[in-house]
Amino acid sequence: MRPVVLARMRRDVSVVLAGAAGQGIETVGGMLSTVLKDSGNNVFTTREFMSRIRGGTNTLQVRVSSHRVAAYCLRTDIAVPLDRTAIPHLAKYSRLQESTAIVGEAEAVPEEYQRRDRVHLVEFTQMARELGSKVYSNTIAAGVILTLFNADRDAGRAYLTERFAAKGPEVVQKNLEAYERGVMVGKRLTSEGLIFQIDREESVKEELILSGTDAVSLGAIAGGCNFVSSYPMSPSTGVLTFLAQRSQEFGIVVDQAEDEIAAINKGIGAWYAGARAIVTTSGGGFALMNEGLSLAGMTETPIVIHLAQRPGPATGLPTRTEQGDLKHFLNAGHGEFARAAFAPGTLHDAFHLTRRAFDLADRYQVPVAILTDQFLLDSSWNVPMIDLSDMSTEKHLVETDDAYRRYRLTHDGVSPRGVPGHGAGLVVVDSDEHDEDGHITEDLRVRSEMVRKRLHRKMELLRRDSLPPEVSGAKKPDRLIIAWGSNYHVMREALEISGRTDTGLLHFRQVYPLHESVAGMLGDADEVMIAENNATSQFAAVIHLETGVRVPDSNRLLKYDGMPFSVEEVVGFLNR
Amino acid sequence: MESKEFDIMDRVNYDIAWCPGCGNYQIRTVMMQALAELGLRPQEVVLVSGIGQAAKMPHYIRVNVFNGLHGRSLPPAAAIKASNPHLTVIAESGDGCMYGEGGNHLVHTILRNPDITAIVHDNMVYGLTKGQASPTSRRGTPSPLHPADRQGVTSEPLNPLALAISLNASFVARAFIGDQEQTKDILKKAIRHRGFALVDVFQPCVTYNKVNTFRWFKDNTYYLPDSYDPTDRVSAFQKAIERERLPLGVLYVSPDRPTFEEESGVYDTDRRPLFQREVDWKKLEALICSMKSAT
Ligand SMILES: Cc1ncc(C[n+]2csc(CCOP(=O)(O)OP(=O)(O)O)c2C)c(N)n1
Ligand code: SF4
C-alpha cells in the first residue's frame, strides 16, 4: 500500500460515515465531534438520511478544520463505510474522489474498491467480538479515526467514561478497551502515512456544540417561551422534544396537540392569557395552521411559529432539506394582515432570532415565523458560549382598568394588550370584524379602520424594525449574490474559495418585511445573483415585489433535490 | 355577585343577533345567574366560543371573551386554562361547531381533561348557515340538503353523551332550556366540577328546526331520579344510549381524574399564572454551559 499524506496543506478534512440507520453512525459521529472539539479542533457535523427507522443508507459528514466551517461539501477525505451500500451510495452522489481514503472492514468495501490505493481494511467487528460483543465496533472505529487526527486521548477516555457511566463500570471499562484497540490501529495507519494535522485553538475546547434544533430551542427559552403546543413532524419535532425535556426546569406547559389546527389555536389561546407560546411544525403541518394564522392576524394576538422546511409538495421528502415554504408562509392565511419572518443562517442567528421573534410578536401583536430547514436543524458545530448577560424580556402587557378596550385605536397603531385576570377591565377578542371593545360589528367604517391598523400600520412598524441584510465578501463589489437562511455558511466559504474579489454576499436573516436599505444596495450592483434551495426562486420573487429589482433567470442557482448546496457547487456557479 | 353584573346589555345597546323566541335567550339568562350564584367576578371568567348563532353568546355577557374560529373553541379554552389556572374558563358553542367541525378537538380535550366547561347548544341544526343538518340531527329530519322526499337525514345522529362517557369524560350532563332552574343547577355543577365538564343543552331553534320543538323536547325527555348514581359508568352508558326518551341531568362523573394543568407539573411549586413569570437566566446559562458535547 502506498503511503499518502493527505490534508497537510488543507484547511480542513472531511470524514464521512455511511451505513444503514441503526448501525451507530450517530454514536460514532457524536464521539468524533466531541473529542475533536475537546482537543481544540473546529468540527462541523451534518447528516443526510432516509425516511426509515432501520436500513437504507444514511451518511454523516464531520468536517474537522482549523477555522470555523459550517457547510456541506462533496469532498470526502476519509470514508468510513459501515455496510456494502455505503461506498456505492457515496460514489453515486459524487462524494467519493480518487483521493478519498477508505477505512472499513473488508465486508463493507465492495470488490472493485478493495484493489484501490488508500483502502485501509480494519476488522472492527472481529476485534469487537474478541472484546465480547460486536457492539464495541463503533467505539473501535471512533478510536481509529480520532487517532488519525492525533486527538487528545484523555478527552476520548473522559467522553466514554461519562457517556456510559449510567450503564455501569463494566460497560465503561469495555468501551475504554475498545477505544485503546482503535488507537492502536490508528497508530498503525498513521505510520502508513494516513495522518491529518489540523491547526488547533485552545479556546475551541471551551466552546459549545449545538445543533440548529438546540439553538432554536434555547432561543425560545431565552425569549420567555413557557408554552409549546405542536403535533410532531420532521424536521421540526426536535424543538418540541427539547422543550418538553426541559419543561419542568423552565416551567413550560407542553401540549402534544391532536393536530396542527389545535396546536396553533392553543398557542393563540395561551398568548391571549399572557403566556409566551411557540408552535413548531413543517410545511404540511403549517398548511393546517393557515386558518389559525388568520385568527392571530384578526385578533391581533401574538404567535411565534417555527416553520422547519422540508421538500414538498405534500409529504415530499420527509427527511430532506429545502427552502420551499417561504411563499407558503408569506401567502398563508385568508384575508390581509401584517406578519414577519426570520431565517437564521448561523447558530447565533437561530438563538437570537428565535428570542427576538417572541419580543417582536409581543411588541406588535402579530405572527412571527422562524423559517429553518432540515439542513440547519440537523447540523451541529462548535460555537462560543452564548452571552446572556445583557438579556432581558420585553414587557408589553398592561394592567387593565374599567374602561379598557382591547382594540383601542392609538396614535402608534398598537393597542395596549391586557390579559384576563390582570386588572379591572375585560379582554374581548374576536375573529369577526370587531369594534374597539372587541365586539362584533358590521360598521363598514370601523372595518376599514381596523384593516388599516392590522395591515398597513403594523407593516410600517415591522419594516421600520426589520433587520438589514449582512454584506460580506468584496469591499466594493460589482456583483452581489443573494442568499437567505441556512445558506449563509456555504456561501461564505464558497466565495472565499472562489477567490472572486468582484463579488459580495448579501445574506438575509430577516426575509419579510425587507429592510428599507435593500433596494439601494441592489440598485448599486452591476449584477445581482441569487442561490436558493427551491425550484422557483421564491426569495427572488419577494425581492422583486418589495424592491422592483429582478434577478435575471440566468443568475439563479437553484437546487431542489433535497440536499443542501455543497461548497463545490456554489464555487462552480461563482466561477462559471 | 348579582346576575346583572354579568349583563352587558344595560351598558351598551346591543342589537342581539338571535331570532325572537330562540332558546339562546334563556341560556343567556341562566348563564348569568349561574356565574353570579357561583360568586364569580366577570374579570375571572373567560368565555370562549367558536362560530355560529350560539357562539355569539360571549358577546352578550359581561366577561372576558375569546370568540375564535368555527369548531375551535376547545383548544384555546384549554390553553387559556393551562396558562392561568386561576381563571374560570367556559367554552360555549353550537352542536355543529362542537361536534361537527370540532369533533376531533372534543375527543382529545376529554382525554386530556383540562379544568374547563363545555356548554353545547344542541338544537340539532345549523342555525347561522340556515338550516342544514347538524351531527345531532335525527334520522329522517328534512333539511335543505336532505329533502323530505329522499327520507331526510340518513346518517346516525351523534350521541355526545355516550361518546363522552366512553372516553371516561370527567363530567357529562344534559339539560333542556325549557326548564331554567334545572339547567342553571346543572351548569353550576359543571362549572364547579374540577376537570372537563360537558353539558349538552337542548335548545330549540324556532326558525330552522320545525321537528324538535319545545313541545318535542318536553315530550321526549325525562329527569334522572335523585337516587341515580352518576359515578357508575356502566349504568351511565346505558342511560346515555336510551332512545325512547332522553335522560336529563348529570349522567356521569369521574371524580378523581387529575386535570391537564395539574399533570403539566408547571404549577406544582409555583401557583403564579404564566404571564407573571420571568426567564430564569441562571438556569438557562447552566443549561447552555452543559452543552459542550454533541448529544
Ligand atoms: C371553517 C368554517 N366553516 C364553515 C363556516 C360557516 N359556519 C358558520 S356557523 C356554522 C354552523 C353553525 O351551527 P351550530 O354550530 O350548530 O350553531 P348554531 O348557529 O346552530 O347556533 C357554519 C357551518 C365557518 N364560519 N367556518
Ligand atoms: S336560527 Fe335558530 S338557533 Fe339561531 S337564533 Fe334563530 S332560532 Fe336561535
Side-chain angles (χ1 to χ4, degrees):
Chain A
M1 188 166 300
R2 187 156 53 99
V4 280
V5 178
L6 288 174
R8 271 267 154 77
M9 308 300 298
R10 246 189 224 138
R11 313 172 307 164
D12 76 285
V13 172
S14 146
V15 183
V16 176
L17 308 164
Q23 276 196 311
I25 296 180
E26 290 293 326
T27 322
V28 182
M31 178 160 179
L32 291 185
S33 50
T34 304
V35 177
L36 285 164
K37 192 273 296 180
D38 287 349
S39 304
N41 286 121
N42 287 285
V43 284
F44 166 77
T45 309
T46 187
R47 12 179 94 63
E48 159 288 294
F49 46 95
M50 293 181 170
S51 181
R52 49 194 291 185
I53 308 303
R54 283 189 175 278
T57 309
N58 299 344
T59 69
L60 180 143
Q61 176 175 59
V62 183
R63 294 184 66 187
V64 189
S65 52
S66 55
H67 58 297
R68 225 175 287 286
V69 296
Y72 164 70
C73 68
L74 291 178
R75 191 188 76 239
T76 302
D77 297 309
I78 309 173
V80 184
L82 298 179
D83 68 13
R84 281 252 152 191
T85 68
I87 296 291
H89 177 89
L90 293 176
K92 181 172 169 191
Y93 295 107
S94 317
R95 300 181 64 188
L96 212 58
Q97 297 85 27
E98 277 299 308
S99 57
T100 307
I102 297 174
V103 178
E105 337 208 359
E107 280 262 288
V109 182
E111 295 299 316
E112 66 267 34
Y113 288 91
Q114 290 208 6
R115 286 184 298 278
R116 274 173 55 157
D117 283 342
R118 297 164 200 181
V119 172
H120 305 266
L121 299 180
V122 181
E123 294 310 313
F124 296 123
T125 313
Q126 182 51 35
M127 291 166 69
R129 286 227 173 82
E130 285 163 20
L131 280 172
S133 163
K134 66 176 190 174
V135 299
Y136 303 114
S137 59
N138 286 333
T139 304
I140 300 176
V144 174
I145 307 299
L146 285 167
T147 309
L148 304 182
F149 290 92
N150 193 24
D152 181 343
R153 212 150 142 186
D154 289 338
R157 298 181 65 89
Y159 176 86
L160 291 168
T161 309
E162 197 179 322
R163 185 178 158 105
F164 293 106
K167 296 198 168 164
E170 202 190 328
V171 175
V172 171
Q173 191 49 41
K174 283 283 186 197
N175 275 284
L176 289 175
E177 278 176 44
Y179 176 55
E180 291 302 339
R181 296 218 176 183
V183 171
M184 267 154 55
V185 174
K187 283 192 169 158
R188 196 187 81 222
L189 299 185
T190 57
S191 72
E192 289 170 12
L194 192 66
I195 183 162
F196 302 91
Q197 281 161 353
I198 305 288
D199 288 346
R200 291 183 170 158
E201 283 173 74
E202 198 57 29
S203 60
V204 168
K205 296 181 181 178
E206 284 309 303
E207 291 194 348
L208 312 167
I209 298 187
L210 297 184
S211 65
T213 296
D214 296 335
V216 168
S217 309
L218 292 168
I221 297 177
C225 176
N226 47 27
F227 195 104
V228 58
S229 55
S230 291
Y231 188 86
M233 185 170 186
S234 294
S236 72
T237 316
V239 170
L240 177 60
T241 312
F242 188 112
L243 294 175
Q245 284 173 355
R246 299 293 169 179
S247 64
Q248 298 308 298
E249 206 175 332
F250 292 98
I252 303 168
V253 173
V254 180
D255 197 327
Q256 184 188 327
E258 56 270 30
D259 52 38
E260 289 84 352
I261 297 171
I264 191 165
N265 277 279
K266 284 177 177 182
I268 293 167
W271 275 96
Y272 166 80
R276 284 192 154 207
I278 192 171
V279 294
T280 176
T281 190
S282 184
F286 183 66
L288 290 176
M289 291 185 177
N290 272 233
E291 183 200 32
L293 185 79
S294 261
L295 177 66
M298 177 51 113
T299 58
E300 302 185 48
T301 309
I303 183 74
V304 175
I305 300 156
H306 173 226
L307 173 45
Q309 299 166 99
R310 74 185 211 191
T315 316
L317 285 170
T319 62
R320 305 290 173 174
T321 202
E322 196 165 280
Q323 296 182 310
D325 287 325
L326 173 61
K327 277 198 180 170
H328 185 190
F329 175 71
L330 296 182
N331 297 334
H334 48 293
E336 301 166 300
F337 53 95
R339 70 193 79 189
F342 293 127
T346 65
L347 294 176
H348 187 266
D349 280 355
F351 178 86
H352 290 283
L353 295 178
T354 307
R355 192 181 83 81
R356 184 178 168 84
F358 284 85
D359 281 344
L360 199 71
D362 202 345
R363 203 181 303 152
Y364 302 121
Q365 306 167 20
V366 293
V368 178
I370 306 136
L371 294 176
T372 63
D373 52 43
Q374 182 269 331
F375 170 65
L376 178 80
L377 294 172
D378 290 339
S379 298
S380 50
W381 64 100
N382 59 294
V383 284
M385 178 64 199
I386 300 167
D387 181 12
L388 303 177
S389 56
D390 284 334
M391 271 177 209
S392 59
T393 310
E394 286 182 13
K395 294 258 175 280
H396 295 286
L397 292 179
V398 297
E399 186 171 339
T400 59
D401 59 20
D402 242 344
Y404 179 72
R405 314 177 86 184
R406 173 64 189 90
Y407 299 107
R408 191 157 61 82
L409 294 163
T410 60
H411 183 65
D412 68 356
V414 178
S415 313
R417 189 163 71 93
V419 295
H422 185 46
L426 297 171
V427 185
V428 177
V429 307
D430 200 298
S431 70
D432 276 83
E433 191 55 86
H434 43 257
D435 57 20
E436 288 183 81
D437 286 314
H439 288 297
I440 296 178
T441 182
E442 297 200 36
D443 182 323
L444 306 182
R445 254 189 238 118
V446 174
R447 157 73 183 175
S448 299
E449 275 190 78
M450 288 295 167
V451 173
R452 273 195 287 281
K453 164 174 148 70
R454 284 192 299 262
L455 176 69
H456 299 307
R457 304 201 61 186
K458 287 193 179 187
M459 276 319 297
E460 206 177 292
L461 292 166
L462 284 169
R463 193 178 302 282
R464 223 181 291 155
D465 223 351
S466 66
L467 304 169
E470 180 192 295
V471 197
S472 57
K475 279 281 166 298
K476 280 212 161 280
D478 304 329
R479 308 199 305 172
L480 267 184
I481 183 155
I482 298 165
W484 62 282
S486 70
N487 285 335
Y488 177 76
H489 287 285
V490 71
M491 301 305 293
R492 290 291 302 257
E493 188 177 345
L495 198 56
E496 206 188 313
I497 292 176
S498 73
R500 301 286 303 218
T501 52
D502 60 345
T503 311
L505 168 66
L506 200 57
H507 176 265
F508 289 79
R509 56 189 171 146
Q510 175 156 3
V511 287
Y512 192 80
L514 298 185
H515 191 263
E516 58 190 9
S517 63
V518 176
M521 288 185 193
L522 294 175
D524 286 347
D526 294 341
E527 198 180 357
V528 181
M529 310 190 297
I530 198 164
E532 297 188 62
N533 278 119
N534 60 53
T536 52
S537 208
Q538 299 188 10
F539 192 51
V542 173
I543 289 184
H544 191 197
L545 206 67
E546 295 257 300
T547 67
V549 176
R550 191 170 181 281
V551 183
D553 291 351
S554 56
N555 281 3
R556 299 174 178 184
L557 175 63
L558 303 175
K559 184 172 185 179
Y560 38 86
D561 64 357
M563 287 293 285
F565 282 117
S566 68
V567 177
E568 291 88 344
E569 277 169 304
V570 181
V571 173
F573 178 68
L574 290 169
N575 286 335
R576 73 201 158 122
Chain B
M1 193 62 46
E2 299 231 13
S3 145
K4 70 177 191 325
E5 267 303 301
F6 289 94
D7 199 345
I8 202 164
M9 291 308 161
D10 41 300
R11 289 171 204 247
V12 278
N13 195 11
Y14 264 126
D15 169 21
I16 293 197
W18 293 326
C19 311
C22 173
N24 284 337
Y25 289 98
Q26 284 116 298
I27 302 186
R28 185 181 96 92
T29 307
V30 166
M31 268 292 282
M32 294 189 297
Q33 288 169 354
L35 294 174
E37 289 174 23
L38 287 169
L40 294 163
R41 291 183 315 121
Q43 288 80 0
E44 59 199 9
V45 178
V46 185
L47 262 189
V48 185
S49 69
I51 297 295
Q53 288 292 80
K56 290 176 179 160
M57 179 72 79
H59 286 288
Y60 309 142
I61 297 185
R62 217 185 130 255
V63 287
N64 294 288
V65 172
F66 185 102
N67 182 188
L69 297 170
H70 189 48
R72 315 289 175 227
S73 60
L74 292 174
I80 291 164
K81 184 73 183 182
S83 302
N84 185 352
H86 302 306
L87 298 169
T88 295
V89 181
I90 300 165
E92 183 164 358
S93 213
D95 46 274
C97 190
M98 289 279 195
Y99 303 147
E101 193 85 72
N104 194 32
H105 304 311
L106 176 69
V107 167
H108 291 274
T109 307
I110 291 175
L111 299 178
R112 274 193 193 82
N113 199 35
D115 182 15
I116 63 173
T117 306
I119 299 170
V120 185
H121 296 211
D122 190 351
N123 55 15
M124 303 177 180
V125 75
Y126 283 8
L128 188 56
T129 48
K130 302 192 193 299
Q132 300 84 0
S134 96
T136 50
S137 297
R138 311 278 106 180
R139 267 174 169 280
T141 311
S143 91
L145 306 179
H146 304 87
D149 59 8
R150 292 189 45 217
Q151 298 117 49
V153 169
T154 52
S155 28
E156 183 73 7
L158 180 86
N159 184 330
L161 307 186
L163 173 73
I165 295 166
S166 78
L167 299 170
N168 197 24
S170 88
F171 182 102
V172 183
R174 179 152 56 204
F176 166 43
I177 195 56
D179 303 307
Q180 296 198 24
E181 276 308 307
Q182 311 253 27
T183 300
K184 182 172 76 186
D185 185 54
I186 292 170
L187 288 182
K188 280 163 69 180
K189 283 187 182 138
I191 295 167
R192 221 187 280 126
H193 174 80
R194 201 186 108 272
F196 182 75
L198 173 68
V199 188
D200 187 73
V201 185
F202 283 149
Q203 166 248 343
C205 169
V206 295
T207 304
Y208 293 113
N209 193 333
K210 305 292 187 201
V211 180
N212 311 105
T213 58
F214 270 97
R215 177 86 255 156
W216 185 92
F217 283 116
K218 189 117 220 116
D219 291 344
N220 287 280
T221 55
Y222 73 99
Y223 280 94
L224 292 167
D226 287 344
S227 59
Y228 178 78
D229 173 13
T231 61
D232 179 344
R233 189 159 169 214
V234 173
S235 68
F237 198 80
Q238 254 160 8
K239 284 281 161 208
I241 59 174
E242 281 177 8
R243 283 192 176 231
E244 286 300 295
R245 287 169 73 226
L246 307 165
L248 300 172
V250 179
L251 266 81
Y252 180 59
V253 177
S254 166
D256 298 324
R257 288 188 57 193
T259 68
F260 178 79
E261 307 78 64
E262 288 164 354
E263 301 265 34
S264 80
V266 165
Y267 300 100
D268 286 357
T269 56
D270 186 348
R271 307 257 308 133
R272 286 175 307 166
L274 300 184
F275 78 84
Q276 289 175 355
R277 301 189 186 197
E278 301 281 339
V279 177
D280 191 332
W281 296 104
K282 282 251 144 13
K283 272 193 196 161
L284 181 58
E285 179 151 28
L287 170 60
I288 297 175
C289 273
S290 75
M291 300 183 72
K292 289 189 178 163
S293 63
T295 40

